[in-house]
Amino acid sequence: MMKFILRYGTPLLGVGCLIMIALIITNRELPLHLFSAANMQSFKILFISIILEAFPFILLGVLFSALLQVFVTDEHIRKFTPKNPIAGVLFGALLGLLFPLCECGMIPVVRRLIRKGMPAYIGIVYLLAGPIVNPIVYASTFTAFRTTPAMAYSRMGLAFAVSVVVGLLLYKFMKSSPLKAASAASPFQMIQHGHTHSHRHHHEHTAKGFRGRVASILSHASDEFFEMGKYLIFGALLTAILQTAIDRSTFNAFADQPLYSYLFMMAFAFILSICSTSDAFIASSFTGMFDAGPLLAFLVFGPMIDLKNTLMLLTTFRIKFVLVLIALTAVLTLIGAWITEVFLL
């Protein structure tokens, strides 16, 4: 708790001061109605529901990552990963068909794959496409949009196209690994990590049989879980605050605006941070209010980039790379959703 306060206390205090200054300048009162009993109850329900919704997928992701660490060698990754960039991008975009993980559990898996030798651009393609291009999400989207099944096909196709284009651009222009360097950690963390790695390396070579492998899997999984879990909780907290603060009448102001409706639904998907297996039911509830294009942008951009996985991305990748990835994904999703609405929906 003390580490959290020391790390985030100053930025949060700064945000609070900026809000107070804005209220003073605009001569507005503090919106105390946001702290009503009903809103606080909604906040608690949203916060807990986000945690409970994401928890199984985080757990699944870290367990799968630990299994990769223990059973899959660097040579296996290099052997099965296509060397041709186009084949590699297509491989990454379709990998979700075999390993259908939610976006909540993707980041530890992708980080593990990249560290084991998978080219970074292929890992990023899997990170973007995997939460959407998989049979579970297709089934949920098809169920949510029974009257317009083209929405399910369009969602799969656009997610595939966006991830492939991003992958090809990264292959062309990315010159170094996007992963954070070990040297960026504090000296204490480096010493601790070195000691832990050395201990585990020795343990993995000395432990034999089933019990040794299980112990190694649990050790890796627990480290990944606690590293990712704290950012999931912080992201869920921000998401619940924003969802509680946004009034539903805000939607009506953007629904009839051609460009702003796309941008608003993409921003709304970013804030909501809903799992890709259930966000289609949220999108279908806005069918009468928004056109098909903004709804498609919501369904594609949200699972690729949202608030909680942005925080987790920042723990794994360089800040500059994360910002470029977000901007690139947003622009391609916006253009692709508009083209899809004009010609297909």
Side-chain angles (χ1 to χ4, degrees), residues 180-200:
K180 284 188 174 180
S183 59
S186 65
F188 173 76
Q189 289 175 320
M190 292 174 61
I191 295 172
Q192 186 181 44
H193 174 75
H195 171 75
T196 306
H197 176 76
S198 175
H199 173 74
R200 282 189 197 138

Side-chain angles (χ1 to χ4, degrees), residues 138-153 280-281 284 287:
Y138 173 79
S140 68
T141 308
F142 190 86
T143 302
F145 290 91
R146 294 185 188 91
T147 57
T148 54
M151 185 66 77
Y153 309 136
F281 298 96
S284 64
T287 300

Side-chain angles (χ1 to χ4, degrees), residues 156-173:
M156 299 298 114
L158 181 56
F160 178 83
V162 169
S163 61
V164 166
V165 173
V166 170
L168 292 175
L169 290 174
L170 292 179
Y171 170 76
K172 181 69 175 178
F173 296 104

Side-chain angles (χ1 to χ4, degrees), residues 188-217:
F188 173 76
Q189 289 175 320
M190 292 174 61
I191 295 172
Q192 186 181 44
H193 174 75
H195 171 75
T196 306
H197 176 76
S198 175
H199 173 74
R200 282 189 197 138
H201 186 74
H202 174 73
H203 176 74
E204 289 169 5
H205 281 78
T206 56
K208 302 290 184 180
F210 178 76
R211 292 181 63 184
R213 290 182 180 271
V214 169
S216 194
I217 290 171

Side-chain angles (χ1 to χ4, degrees), residues 248 251 265 268 281-291 295:
R248 190 172 178 85
F251 295 103
M265 289 305 289
F268 189 53
F281 298 96
I282 301 296
S284 64
S285 67
F286 293 99
T287 300
M289 185 180 299
F290 287 90
D291 293 333
L295 295 181

Side-chain angles (χ1 to χ4, degrees), residues 17-157:
C17 292
L18 289 175
I19 293 173
M20 294 300 295
I21 292 171
L23 291 172
I24 293 171
I25 293 174
T26 57
N27 196 26
R28 293 186 179 183
E29 296 181 357
L30 186 68
L32 296 177
H33 66 278
L34 295 177
F35 300 95
S36 64
N39 280 344
M40 293 306 296
Q41 183 67 18
S42 298
F43 166 76
K44 289 187 290 184
I45 292 173
L46 286 168
F47 176 67
I48 295 173
S49 64
I50 292 171
I51 296 294
L52 293 179
E53 184 183 57
F55 178 83
F57 298 101
I58 282 283
L59 187 60
L60 180 62
V62 298
L63 285 175
F64 186 62
S65 174
L67 289 171
L68 286 174
Q69 174 66 20
V70 174
F71 291 102
V72 180
T73 64
D74 298 3
E75 290 73 20
H76 289 147
I77 297 295
R78 297 188 185 98
K79 179 181 178 182
F80 290 105
T81 302
K83 301 296 185 293
N84 182 277
I86 297 178
V89 167
L90 296 177
F91 170 78
L94 297 174
L95 197 56
L97 297 175
L98 297 177
F99 305 111
L101 292 174
C102 177
E103 69 270 17
C104 307
M106 291 289 297
I107 296 173
V109 174
V110 170
R111 177 173 62 180
R112 184 70 63 193
L113 288 171
I114 294 175
R115 286 179 175 171
K116 278 186 167 290
M118 175 179 281
Y121 69 93
I122 298 179
I124 298 301
V125 170
Y126 177 41
L127 181 68
L128 296 176
I132 303 176
V133 186
N134 69 66
I136 299 174
V137 173
Y138 173 79
S140 68
T141 308
F142 190 86
T143 302
F145 290 91
R146 294 185 188 91
T147 57
T148 54
M151 185 66 77
Y153 309 136
S154 300
R155 185 185 193 186
M156 299 298 114

